[in-house]
Amino acid sequence: MDAIDRKILAELQRDGRLTITELAERVQLSVSPCHRRLRELERSGVITGYHATLSPAALGLGFETLVFVTMKEANRDSIIPFEEAVARIPNITLAHRLFGDPDYLLRVVAADLEHFQRLYDEQLTALPGVQRVSSTLVMRKVVDDGALPLG
């Protein structure tokens, strides 16, 4: 990957809706070589997809919590069903397996405290293999979905 590829990636991180013509202009390439480079970045897995960033608040999901999960046992028999169950809960927008304690960090969006309490009581504490669940409220997002450093 060279400096031009990095420029392409930086521009697409800023605006994934750029046309190939606009992208080529911004990185100072003609359209054809820019298109070839873009397709290679996609083919090699550097670019994994394109998406729209949505406003949770505008969709009625302005209540955000971070949920910490400690498993009873951290073995294959408990981790696989837990992770599969987590993936089926649409209000979980991020799930990370961690080293140490706790075992998982989940970001959960809800309409309000009452909605979150129902999710917590009915779904989160019922996840397979869970020993302990604790949560904290997100006060404010400081960095959210930041661009990757390409330097």
Side-chain angles (χ1 to χ4, degrees), residues 44-151:
S44 67
V46 173
I47 296 174
T48 59
Y50 301 88
H51 69 275
T53 303
L54 308 180
S55 165
L59 296 168
L61 297 168
F63 191 86
E64 183 175 332
T65 58
L66 298 177
V67 176
F68 304 96
V69 177
T70 301
M71 302 295 288
K72 290 176 189 168
E73 297 180 60
N75 59 43
R76 185 173 174 81
D77 292 336
S78 63
I79 288 171
I80 291 172
F82 172 83
E83 291 180 358
E84 289 172 349
V86 162
R88 289 191 298 271
I89 300 174
N91 293 77
I92 298 174
T93 62
L94 176 135
H96 287 297
R97 184 170 177 202
L98 309 174
F99 279 108
D101 186 31
D103 295 302
Y104 287 90
L105 168 65
L106 312 176
R107 180 172 38 194
V108 180
V109 295
D112 53 28
L113 178 59
E114 184 180 330
H115 182 209
F116 174 70
Q117 183 180 349
R118 279 195 318 275
L119 287 167
Y120 188 94
D121 292 344
E122 297 170 10
Q123 294 184 335
L124 300 176
T125 58
L127 288 165
V130 170
Q131 175 182 342
R132 184 176 70 245
V133 177
S134 63
S135 62
T136 188
L137 301 180
V138 173
M139 182 187 309
R140 177 170 65 98
K141 292 180 184 178
V142 178
V143 175
D144 187 41
D145 202 24
L148 293 176
L150 298 170

